[in-house]
Tab-separated table of all heavy atoms in Angstrom:
chain	number	residue	atom	x	y	z
G	1	LEU	N	105.282	118.559	-33.713
G	1	LEU	CA	104.568	117.608	-34.561
G	1	LEU	C	103.070	117.644	-34.260
G	1	LEU	O	102.232	117.635	-35.168
G	1	LEU	CB	105.119	116.189	-34.361
G	1	LEU	CG	106.519	115.917	-34.910
G	1	LEU	CD1	106.989	114.530	-34.485
G	1	LEU	CD2	106.537	116.034	-36.421
G	2	LEU	N	102.721	117.683	-32.959
G	2	LEU	CA	101.311	117.789	-32.583
G	2	LEU	C	100.708	119.096	-33.086
G	2	LEU	O	99.569	119.128	-33.566
G	2	LEU	CB	101.176	117.703	-31.058
G	2	LEU	CG	101.551	116.364	-30.405
G	2	LEU	CD1	101.449	116.482	-28.886
G	2	LEU	CD2	100.650	115.255	-30.916
G	3	GLN	N	101.466	120.174	-32.974
G	3	GLN	CA	100.997	121.472	-33.432
G	3	GLN	C	100.770	121.458	-34.944
G	3	GLN	O	99.763	121.988	-35.448
G	3	GLN	CB	102.020	122.554	-33.062
G	3	GLN	CG	101.504	123.972	-33.217
G	3	GLN	CD	102.597	124.997	-32.958
G	3	GLN	OE1	103.754	124.785	-33.308
G	3	GLN	NE2	102.230	126.109	-32.358
G	4	GLY	N	101.676	120.836	-35.682
G	4	GLY	CA	101.519	120.755	-37.126
G	4	GLY	C	100.343	119.896	-37.540
G	4	GLY	O	99.630	120.220	-38.501
G	5	MET	N	100.112	118.814	-36.822
G	5	MET	CA	98.983	117.932	-37.145
G	5	MET	C	97.647	118.642	-36.936
G	5	MET	O	96.706	118.465	-37.716
G	5	MET	CB	99.050	116.674	-36.276
G	5	MET	CG	100.207	115.755	-36.627
G	5	MET	SD	100.370	114.345	-35.495
G	5	MET	CE	98.871	113.450	-35.879
G	6	SER	N	97.557	119.458	-35.898
G	6	SER	CA	96.308	120.194	-35.650
G	6	SER	C	96.177	121.390	-36.570
G	6	SER	O	95.064	121.772	-36.964
G	6	SER	CB	96.241	120.639	-34.191
G	6	SER	OG	97.387	121.391	-33.836
G	7	GLY	N	97.307	122.003	-36.946
G	7	GLY	CA	97.248	123.175	-37.811
G	7	GLY	C	97.143	122.850	-39.281
G	7	GLY	O	96.785	123.711	-40.091
G	8	GLY	N	97.451	121.590	-39.667
G	8	GLY	CA	97.465	121.229	-41.071
G	8	GLY	C	96.123	121.330	-41.756
G	8	GLY	O	96.056	121.519	-42.980
G	9	LEU	N	95.036	121.183	-40.991
G	9	LEU	CA	93.705	121.229	-41.596
G	9	LEU	C	93.098	122.630	-41.593
G	9	LEU	O	92.050	122.839	-42.194
G	9	LEU	CB	92.765	120.271	-40.848
G	9	LEU	CG	93.176	118.799	-40.830
G	9	LEU	CD1	92.140	117.977	-40.080
G	9	LEU	CD2	93.340	118.277	-42.244
G	10	LEU	N	93.738	123.576	-40.914
G	10	LEU	CA	93.128	124.904	-40.787
G	10	LEU	C	93.043	125.643	-42.121
G	10	LEU	O	92.030	126.281	-42.419
G	10	LEU	CB	93.907	125.734	-39.761
G	10	LEU	CG	93.770	125.275	-38.313
G	10	LEU	CD1	94.651	126.108	-37.390
G	10	LEU	CD2	92.317	125.343	-37.851
G	11	ALA	N	94.099	125.571	-42.945
G	11	ALA	CA	94.075	126.275	-44.232
G	11	ALA	C	93.040	125.693	-45.193
G	11	ALA	O	92.218	126.444	-45.750
G	11	ALA	CB	95.469	126.273	-44.851
G	12	PRO	N	93.016	124.364	-45.436
G	12	PRO	CA	91.956	123.831	-46.309
G	12	PRO	C	90.562	124.008	-45.736
G	12	PRO	O	89.599	124.212	-46.485
G	12	PRO	CB	92.322	122.344	-46.452
G	12	PRO	CG	93.246	122.049	-45.335
G	12	PRO	CD	93.977	123.315	-45.058
G	13	MET	N	90.433	123.938	-44.395
G	13	MET	CA	89.126	124.167	-43.787
G	13	MET	C	88.655	125.596	-44.037
G	13	MET	O	87.476	125.850	-44.287
G	13	MET	CB	89.199	123.906	-42.282
G	13	MET	CG	89.288	122.443	-41.903
G	13	MET	SD	87.791	121.530	-42.307
G	13	MET	CE	86.614	122.396	-41.296
G	14	ALA	N	89.574	126.554	-43.975
G	14	ALA	CA	89.221	127.949	-44.243
G	14	ALA	C	88.702	128.102	-45.657
G	14	ALA	O	87.672	128.755	-45.897
G	14	ALA	CB	90.439	128.847	-44.016
G	15	GLN	N	89.385	127.509	-46.627
G	15	GLN	CA	88.936	127.582	-48.019
G	15	GLN	C	87.544	126.989	-48.179
G	15	GLN	O	86.681	127.559	-48.849
G	15	GLN	CB	89.919	126.848	-48.921
G	15	GLN	CG	91.285	127.484	-49.025
G	15	GLN	CD	92.223	126.663	-49.886
G	15	GLN	OE1	91.788	125.798	-50.658
G	15	GLN	NE2	93.510	126.898	-49.753
G	16	MET	N	87.324	125.821	-47.575
G	16	MET	CA	86.045	125.136	-47.747
G	16	MET	C	84.902	125.917	-47.124
G	16	MET	O	83.822	126.055	-47.712
G	16	MET	CB	86.121	123.742	-47.134
G	16	MET	CG	84.948	122.853	-47.480
G	16	MET	SD	84.682	121.574	-46.265
G	16	MET	CE	84.130	122.542	-44.869
G	17	MET	N	85.105	126.454	-45.919
G	17	MET	CA	84.030	127.185	-45.247
G	17	MET	C	83.699	128.478	-45.982
G	17	MET	O	82.533	128.862	-46.076
G	17	MET	CB	84.413	127.459	-43.790
G	17	MET	CG	84.421	126.209	-42.928
G	17	MET	SD	84.632	126.555	-41.161
G	17	MET	CE	86.314	127.151	-41.145
G	18	ILE	N	84.724	129.140	-46.516
G	18	ILE	CA	84.468	130.357	-47.297
G	18	ILE	C	83.720	130.006	-48.575
G	18	ILE	O	82.790	130.713	-48.981
G	18	ILE	CB	85.788	131.083	-47.603
G	18	ILE	CG1	86.384	131.660	-46.316
G	18	ILE	CG2	85.567	132.211	-48.616
G	18	ILE	CD1	87.757	132.259	-46.486
G	19	ALA	N	84.109	128.896	-49.227
G	19	ALA	CA	83.433	128.479	-50.455
G	19	ALA	C	81.970	128.142	-50.179
G	19	ALA	O	81.070	128.490	-50.961
G	19	ALA	CB	84.150	127.274	-51.063
G	20	ARG	N	81.703	127.463	-49.077
G	20	ARG	CA	80.328	127.125	-48.723
G	20	ARG	C	79.486	128.367	-48.445
G	20	ARG	O	78.350	128.487	-48.903
G	20	ARG	CB	80.316	126.223	-47.482
G	20	ARG	CG	80.485	124.750	-47.741
G	20	ARG	CD	80.342	123.992	-46.423
G	20	ARG	NE	80.324	122.552	-46.630
G	20	ARG	CZ	80.218	121.666	-45.643
G	20	ARG	NH1	80.126	122.090	-44.392
G	20	ARG	NH2	80.203	120.376	-45.905
G	21	ALA	N	80.055	129.285	-47.680
G	21	ALA	CA	79.275	130.451	-47.250
G	21	ALA	C	79.124	131.486	-48.358
G	21	ALA	O	78.058	132.078	-48.525
G	21	ALA	CB	79.947	131.091	-46.035
G	22	ALA	N	80.199	131.721	-49.132
G	22	ALA	CA	80.192	132.823	-50.097
G	22	ALA	C	79.538	132.459	-51.418
G	22	ALA	O	79.001	133.334	-52.110
G	22	ALA	CB	81.621	133.301	-50.339
G	23	GLY	N	79.585	131.188	-51.802
G	23	GLY	CA	78.992	130.803	-53.076
G	23	GLY	C	79.634	131.530	-54.243
G	23	GLY	O	80.847	131.541	-54.413
G	24	ARG	N	78.792	132.188	-55.062
G	24	ARG	CA	79.308	132.870	-56.254
G	24	ARG	C	80.086	134.138	-55.911
G	24	ARG	O	80.729	134.722	-56.768
G	24	ARG	CB	78.162	133.211	-57.201
G	24	ARG	CG	77.177	134.246	-56.660
G	24	ARG	CD	75.992	134.383	-57.587
G	24	ARG	NE	75.064	135.419	-57.147
G	24	ARG	CZ	75.165	136.694	-57.489
G	24	ARG	NH1	76.157	137.087	-58.264
G	24	ARG	NH2	74.281	137.579	-57.073
G	25	HIS	N	80.032	134.572	-54.646
G	25	HIS	CA	80.800	135.749	-54.212
G	25	HIS	C	82.180	135.367	-53.674
G	25	HIS	O	82.847	136.197	-53.063
G	25	HIS	CB	80.039	136.501	-53.115
G	25	HIS	CG	78.744	137.090	-53.568
G	25	HIS	ND1	78.665	138.087	-54.511
G	25	HIS	CD2	77.463	136.819	-53.193
G	25	HIS	CE1	77.394	138.413	-54.702
G	25	HIS	NE2	76.649	137.656	-53.920
G	26	MET	N	82.613	134.116	-53.900
G	26	MET	CA	83.840	133.653	-53.260
G	26	MET	C	85.055	134.495	-53.629
G	26	MET	O	85.892	134.794	-52.775
G	26	MET	CB	84.106	132.195	-53.615
G	26	MET	CG	85.325	131.648	-52.865
G	26	MET	SD	85.735	129.976	-53.295
G	26	MET	CE	87.263	129.780	-52.371
G	27	ALA	N	85.166	134.889	-54.904
G	27	ALA	CA	86.339	135.672	-55.310
G	27	ALA	C	86.429	136.971	-54.528
G	27	ALA	O	87.507	137.397	-54.108
G	27	ALA	CB	86.278	135.963	-56.809
G	28	ARG	N	85.284	137.604	-54.302
G	28	ARG	CA	85.262	138.873	-53.576
G	28	ARG	C	85.567	138.669	-52.098
G	28	ARG	O	86.361	139.409	-51.515
G	28	ARG	CB	83.882	139.513	-53.749
G	28	ARG	CG	83.727	140.866	-53.083
G	28	ARG	CD	82.356	141.413	-53.415
G	28	ARG	NE	81.992	142.521	-52.553
G	28	ARG	CZ	80.765	143.037	-52.491
G	28	ARG	NH1	79.802	142.522	-53.256
G	28	ARG	NH2	80.492	144.030	-51.690
G	29	VAL	N	84.951	137.655	-51.488
G	29	VAL	CA	85.142	137.416	-50.055
G	29	VAL	C	86.540	136.887	-49.771
G	29	VAL	O	87.238	137.375	-48.876
G	29	VAL	CB	84.076	136.428	-49.535
G	29	VAL	CG1	84.346	136.074	-48.077
G	29	VAL	CG2	82.685	137.022	-49.695
G	30	ALA	N	86.967	135.889	-50.550
G	30	ALA	CA	88.270	135.277	-50.304
G	30	ALA	C	89.400	136.261	-50.560
G	30	ALA	O	90.472	136.155	-49.952
G	30	ALA	CB	88.442	134.037	-51.172
G	31	GLY	N	89.184	137.223	-51.456
G	31	GLY	CA	90.211	138.221	-51.705
G	31	GLY	C	90.600	138.977	-50.455
G	31	GLY	O	91.776	139.265	-50.218
G	32	TYR	N	89.587	139.306	-49.623
G	32	TYR	CA	89.881	139.979	-48.356
G	32	TYR	C	90.336	138.982	-47.291
G	32	TYR	O	91.209	139.283	-46.477
G	32	TYR	CB	88.633	140.702	-47.855
G	32	TYR	CG	88.299	141.943	-48.643
G	32	TYR	CD1	87.351	141.906	-49.660
G	32	TYR	CD2	88.931	143.154	-48.379
G	32	TYR	CE1	87.042	143.046	-50.393
G	32	TYR	CE2	88.628	144.296	-49.109
G	32	TYR	CZ	87.682	144.243	-50.110
G	32	TYR	OH	87.387	145.360	-50.832
G	33	ALA	N	89.737	137.796	-47.282
G	33	ALA	CA	90.025	136.823	-46.229
G	33	ALA	C	91.436	136.256	-46.348
G	33	ALA	O	92.058	135.918	-45.342
G	33	ALA	CB	89.004	135.681	-46.278
G	34	VAL	N	91.949	136.147	-47.577
G	34	VAL	CA	93.268	135.557	-47.770
G	34	VAL	C	94.385	136.567	-47.525
G	34	VAL	O	95.515	136.188	-47.218
G	34	VAL	CB	93.372	134.966	-49.199
G	34	VAL	CG1	94.780	134.464	-49.487
G	34	VAL	CG2	92.390	133.817	-49.361
G	35	ALA	N	94.072	137.858	-47.627
G	35	ALA	CA	95.110	138.888	-47.466
G	35	ALA	C	95.885	138.757	-46.153
G	35	ALA	O	97.120	138.863	-46.157
G	35	ALA	CB	94.484	140.280	-47.586
G	36	PRO	N	95.220	138.512	-44.991
G	36	PRO	CA	96.007	138.354	-43.755
G	36	PRO	C	96.955	137.169	-43.794
G	36	PRO	O	98.036	137.203	-43.202
G	36	PRO	CB	94.925	138.154	-42.677
G	36	PRO	CG	93.697	138.763	-43.241
G	36	PRO	CD	93.772	138.499	-44.713
G	37	VAL	N	96.573	136.100	-44.500
G	37	VAL	CA	97.421	134.922	-44.588
G	37	VAL	C	98.698	135.240	-45.361
G	37	VAL	O	99.769	134.703	-45.083
G	37	VAL	CB	96.651	133.755	-45.248
G	37	VAL	CG1	97.526	132.513	-45.347
G	37	VAL	CG2	95.384	133.458	-44.459
G	38	LEU	N	98.588	136.134	-46.356
G	38	LEU	CA	99.764	136.525	-47.120
G	38	LEU	C	100.771	137.270	-46.248
G	38	LEU	O	101.961	137.314	-46.553
G	38	LEU	CB	99.355	137.415	-48.295
G	38	LEU	CG	98.569	136.743	-49.421
G	38	LEU	CD1	98.149	137.772	-50.450
G	38	LEU	CD2	99.372	135.652	-50.080
G	39	LEU	N	100.269	137.869	-45.171
G	39	LEU	CA	101.161	138.601	-44.273
G	39	LEU	C	102.031	137.670	-43.436
G	39	LEU	O	103.060	138.092	-42.905
G	39	LEU	CB	100.338	139.495	-43.337
G	39	LEU	CG	99.669	140.720	-43.958
G	39	LEU	CD1	98.715	141.340	-42.950
G	39	LEU	CD2	100.701	141.734	-44.399
G	40	ALA	N	101.611	136.394	-43.306
G	40	ALA	CA	102.313	135.469	-42.409
G	40	ALA	C	103.799	135.343	-42.726
G	40	ALA	O	104.630	135.466	-41.819
G	40	ALA	CB	101.624	134.100	-42.433
G	41	PRO	N	104.198	135.086	-43.990
G	41	PRO	CA	105.643	134.963	-44.254
G	41	PRO	C	106.410	136.250	-43.985
G	41	PRO	O	107.602	136.211	-43.685
G	41	PRO	CB	105.691	134.595	-45.746
G	41	PRO	CG	104.345	134.041	-46.052
G	41	PRO	CD	103.401	134.798	-45.184
G	42	LEU	N	105.723	137.411	-44.108
G	42	LEU	CA	106.388	138.684	-43.852
G	42	LEU	C	106.410	139.007	-42.359
G	42	LEU	O	107.409	139.509	-41.834
G	42	LEU	CB	105.673	139.812	-44.609
G	42	LEU	CG	105.612	139.688	-46.138
G	42	LEU	CD1	104.788	140.828	-46.728
G	42	LEU	CD2	107.006	139.693	-46.733
G	43	LEU	N	105.298	138.699	-41.673
G	43	LEU	CA	105.191	139.038	-40.257
G	43	LEU	C	105.961	138.069	-39.358
G	43	LEU	O	106.439	138.464	-38.290
G	43	LEU	CB	103.722	139.054	-39.826
G	43	LEU	CG	102.863	140.208	-40.348
G	43	LEU	CD1	101.437	140.049	-39.860
G	43	LEU	CD2	103.421	141.547	-39.903
G	44	GLY	N	106.079	136.798	-39.798
G	44	GLY	CA	106.719	135.792	-38.956
G	44	GLY	C	108.097	136.201	-38.455
G	44	GLY	O	108.321	136.262	-37.235
């Protein structure tokens, strides 16, 4: 439960920080940044 509470904000925080930093390039940057996350259900 503690692990989930601390990990629950990591995904939305990642989106927000990428949106802030990338600006109009978000689609290009997030396309690469999100790819490792897609591996999680397969790698787990």
Side-chain angles (χ1 to χ4, degrees):
L1 290 173
L2 294 176
Q3 193 185 37
M5 291 175 67
S6 55
L9 300 181
L10 290 176
M13 286 293 299
Q15 293 177 17
M16 191 205 69
M17 290 189 292
I18 292 174
R20 275 184 173 180
R24 66 187 183 88
H25 295 295
M26 185 183 174
R28 182 176 165 191
V29 175
Y32 287 97
V34 174
V37 180
L38 291 176
L39 289 170
L42 300 176
L43 289 178

